[in-house]
């Protein structure tokens, strides 16, 4: 879809976002610069891009400023329709503070808060996403279950919560280690099920996490996708396709 994403810092966007990032410029300059490239002109030299590292105070200020612009997911029709379209209930949208906003690039996004004060921006149109701040955990708990599912993406964790389970998501396979201290701390769970995506990166991260959790003497297994009739990519895909088949597999 002519979009790009950096899997290290989580930034992404279109060709204009990329030009702005590389050249450290505003939107108007990016449009002129790209127009110049297509007209055969030589664009201005790139400026030095500032460091992406933020101090805790800078992150707090930026996050607070963004939160002032976030509309609750139930209070905006587009945000509400996005979450309902993913199979989620009004109760879930309200409980986990899912939101909607126009981001810094003028794009319509939904927002998913994480446990460290940062949040995910997910495009309403398209699959691109931004990570605002350090990647954290998305925690969906409160159900009467002593099993915790550890998922890759926020939508997977929320899907399992809708079925009555407790779940967290690490929001990136590179972030899987953050599930370990959480699992050690939450002594109310007697076992853990790793349900990362049904693909090669998900399988690789699952194996690493499985080994690390067992080193901590925690009872854990991997979710068995082979028991499913269909071959889909992740838990939310199964949730929107056949809730009862997913529930049976989880049980």
């Amino acid at each position: 879809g002519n979009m790009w994403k950096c899997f290290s810092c989580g930034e992404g966007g279109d060709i204009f976002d990329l030009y702005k990032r590389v050249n450290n410029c505003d939107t108007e300059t990016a449009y002129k610069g790209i127009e110049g490239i297509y007209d055969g002109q030589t664009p201005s030299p790139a400026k030095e891009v500032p460091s992406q590292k933020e101090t805790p105070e800078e992150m707090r200020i930026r996050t607070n400023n963004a939160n002032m612009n976030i509309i609750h997911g139930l209070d905006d029709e587009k945000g509400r329709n996005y979450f309902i379209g993913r199979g989620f209930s009004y109760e879930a949208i309200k409980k986990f503070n899912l939101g909607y906003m126009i981001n810094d690039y003028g794009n319509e996004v939904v927002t998913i808060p994480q446990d460290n004060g940062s949040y995910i921006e997910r495009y309403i149109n398209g699959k691109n996403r931004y990570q605002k701040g350090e990647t954290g955990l998305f925690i969906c708990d409160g159900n009467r279950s002593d099993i915790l599912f550890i998922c890759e993406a926020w939508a997977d964790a929320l899907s399992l919560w809708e079925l009555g389970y407790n779940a967290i998501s690490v929001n990136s396979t590179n972030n899987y280690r953050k599930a370990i201290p959480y699992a050690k701390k939450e002594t109310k769970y007697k076992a853990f099920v790793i349900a990362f995506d049904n693909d090669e990166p998900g399988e690789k991260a699952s194996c690493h996490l499985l080994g690390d959790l067992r080193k901590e003497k925690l009872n854990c297994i991997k979710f068995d996708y082979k028991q499913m009739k269909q071959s889909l990519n992740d838990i939310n895909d199964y949730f929107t396709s056949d809730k009862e088949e997913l529930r049976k597999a989880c049980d």
Side-chain angles (χ1 to χ4, degrees), residues 79 82-84 86-88 92-93 96 98-99 110-114 120-123 127 129-131 136-140 151-161 167-172 197 234-236:
Y82 176 89
F83 292 120
I84 296 299
R86 298 292 296 269
F88 304 128
I93 298 170
F96 298 108
L98 308 182
V110 292
T111 58
I112 301 92
Q114 298 176 103
I120 298 167
E121 292 181 6
R122 181 83 189 203
Y123 275 41
K127 294 186 176 182
R129 53 165 270 181
Y130 290 104
Q131 172 66 46
L137 301 176
F138 180 61
I139 300 170
C140 300
C151 304
E152 185 173 329
W154 66 271
D156 303 329
L158 194 55
S159 298
L160 293 172
W161 182 88
I168 63 171
S169 66
V170 297
N171 298 317
S172 167
D197 288 3
D234 57 40
I235 294 294
N236 182 247

Side-chain angles (χ1 to χ4, degrees), residues 2-99:
N2 292 322
M3 307 296 282
W4 62 276
K5 175 178 176 175
C6 171
F7 285 91
S8 176
C9 71
E11 278 197 70
D14 56 22
I15 187 173
F16 302 103
D17 297 322
L18 182 59
Y19 190 96
K20 287 195 293 184
R21 183 71 190 87
V22 170
N23 295 282
N24 190 27
C25 64
D26 58 21
T27 302
E28 182 179 0
T29 304
Y31 276 107
K32 290 180 180 178
I34 291 173
E35 184 180 31
I37 292 173
Y38 282 97
D39 285 344
Q41 302 172 16
T42 302
S44 302
K47 301 176 183 178
E48 182 180 352
V49 179
S51 170
Q52 290 296 290
K53 295 294 183 182
E54 287 183 303
T55 66
E57 178 64 13
E58 288 172 335
M59 178 176 151
R60 185 189 66 78
I61 293 172
R62 177 183 50 71
T63 304
N64 286 344
N65 289 340
N67 287 341
M68 292 174 63
N69 297 318
I70 294 176
I71 303 168
H72 198 283
L74 289 179
D75 297 331
D76 181 85
E77 182 179 4
K78 291 182 180 179
R80 185 169 61 247
N81 289 344
Y82 176 89
F83 292 120
I84 296 299
R86 298 292 296 269
F88 304 128
S89 63
Y90 284 9
E91 180 187 2
I93 298 170
K94 182 178 181 180
K95 178 177 176 63
F96 298 108
N97 294 315
L98 308 182

Side-chain angles (χ1 to χ4, degrees), residues 6 12 59 64 96 144 146 151 166 177 187 220 224 235 237:
C6 171
M59 178 176 151
N64 286 344
F96 298 108
R144 297 179 62 183
D146 54 7
C151 304
N166 295 311
R177 291 181 181 86
T187 56
C220 59
D224 181 13
I235 294 294
D237 285 345

Side-chain angles (χ1 to χ4, degrees), residues 48-249:
E48 182 180 352
V49 179
S51 170
Q52 290 296 290
K53 295 294 183 182
E54 287 183 303
T55 66
E57 178 64 13
E58 288 172 335
M59 178 176 151
R60 185 189 66 78
I61 293 172
R62 177 183 50 71
T63 304
N64 286 344
N65 289 340
N67 287 341
M68 292 174 63
N69 297 318
I70 294 176
I71 303 168
H72 198 283
L74 289 179
D75 297 331
D76 181 85
E77 182 179 4
K78 291 182 180 179
R80 185 169 61 247
N81 289 344
Y82 176 89
F83 292 120
I84 296 299
R86 298 292 296 269
F88 304 128
S89 63
Y90 284 9
E91 180 187 2
I93 298 170
K94 182 178 181 180
K95 178 177 176 63
F96 298 108
N97 294 315
L98 308 182
Y100 164 88
M101 69 182 294
I102 307 295
N103 71 2
D104 297 340
Y105 301 96
N107 299 306
E108 294 180 301
V109 298
V110 292
T111 58
I112 301 92
Q114 298 176 103
D115 68 330
N116 59 357
S118 62
Y119 62 94
I120 298 167
E121 292 181 6
R122 181 83 189 203
Y123 275 41
I124 284 183
N125 299 313
K127 294 186 176 182
N128 195 51
R129 53 165 270 181
Y130 290 104
Q131 172 66 46
K132 292 298 184 178
E134 183 182 355
T135 305
L137 301 176
F138 180 61
I139 300 170
C140 300
D141 59 7
N143 284 322
R144 297 179 62 183
S145 172
D146 54 7
I147 307 295
L148 181 73
F149 286 80
I150 303 175
C151 304
E152 185 173 329
W154 66 271
D156 303 329
L158 194 55
S159 298
L160 293 172
W161 182 88
E162 292 276 16
L163 294 180
Y165 306 103
N166 295 311
I168 63 171
S169 66
V170 297
N171 298 317
S172 167
T173 52
N174 293 328
N175 201 44
Y176 76 87
R177 291 181 181 86
K178 290 194 175 180
I180 301 169
Y182 183 86
K184 290 172 61 179
K185 178 185 69 173
E186 297 296 325
T187 56
K188 60 180 175 285
Y189 298 118
K190 72 176 184 181
F192 303 89
V193 181
I194 303 169
F196 286 178
D197 288 3
N198 187 26
D199 56 20
E200 185 177 351
E203 173 65 17
K204 184 176 180 179
S206 294
C207 290
H208 288 311
L209 181 56
L210 184 71
D212 289 343
L213 290 176
R214 286 182 172 171
K215 286 178 183 177
E216 299 293 339
K217 302 189 183 307
L218 296 173
N219 184 20
C220 59
I221 60 170
K222 291 193 299 177
F223 184 85
D224 181 13
Y225 282 103
K226 293 179 181 178
Q227 66 185 308
M228 310 298 285
K229 296 175 184 177
Q230 308 172 77
S231 181
L232 302 176
N233 189 60
D234 57 40
I235 294 294
N236 182 247
D237 285 345
Y238 286 103
F239 177 72
T240 55
S241 175
D242 191 335
K243 290 183 177 65
E244 291 313 308
E245 183 186 23
L246 177 60
R247 189 193 306 275
K248 182 178 178 181

